Every structure is written in C-alpha cells, then in structure tokens.
Amino acid sequence: MKKTLDITREHCPMTFVKTKIELAKLQEGDTLEVLLSEGEPLDNVPRNAVEQGYNVLSVEHVEGTTHKVIIKK
C-alpha cells in the first residue's frame, strides 16, 4: 500500500512529527510518499526516518521548492 502525505506547509519539528504519525499507521512493507519543502524539512525528514529504522527509497525534486521522499516501513 502507498500513502501520500503533504507537509509542504509545515515547519520543523512538525514535519517529522506528522511523518512519524503516518508511518506508524502503515503495515510493514508499505510505503509513504512525503511531499515537503527544501531546506530543513528536506534535510531532517529523510535523516530522521533512517534514524528511526525506516528505509528511505528515494528523494526526488518535484517542482519549485517541493521534493518527494519515499519511505518504506
């Protein structure tokens, strides 16, 4: 299952808090597509996800300042 979370309007630390809440709802093996802004969220969300034991599959530029991070539980 793949779920999408848009946190482009959020600021740290809420970016990873909201990401972590959504990841907790997923089953093992599911993926979460996180849309976020460059800067702190782009630096922190993938790093924190790895530190929490999740697998960051990809980080891609979408458009403008928006990026997409795919995280597997």
Side-chain angles (χ1 to χ4, degrees):
M1 184 179 111
K2 183 176 95 172
K3 187 165 184 177
T4 302
L5 174 66
D6 183 347
I7 54 171
T8 53
R9 298 180 190 275
E10 300 295 333
H11 301 284
C12 290
M14 288 310 295
T15 52
F16 190 66
V17 170
K18 290 195 173 194
T19 302
K20 191 172 176 181
I21 289 168
E22 289 304 312
L23 284 167
K25 296 177 185 176
L26 298 179
Q27 300 296 315
E28 202 67 36
D30 288 348
T31 57
L32 180 64
E33 179 181 278
V34 184
L35 298 173
L36 44 73
S37 298
E38 61 188 15
E40 263 191 289
L42 183 58
D43 294 338
N44 294 336
V45 170
R47 181 174 41 93
N48 289 334
V50 170
E51 288 173 0
Q52 297 282 323
Y54 298 104
N55 188 6
V56 175
L57 301 179
S58 68
V59 178
E60 304 170 23
H61 178 253
V62 177
E63 64 177 314
T65 60
T66 302
H67 290 71
K68 175 171 62 175
V69 178
I70 308 286
I71 304 170
K72 184 174 183 180
K73 183 168 184 178

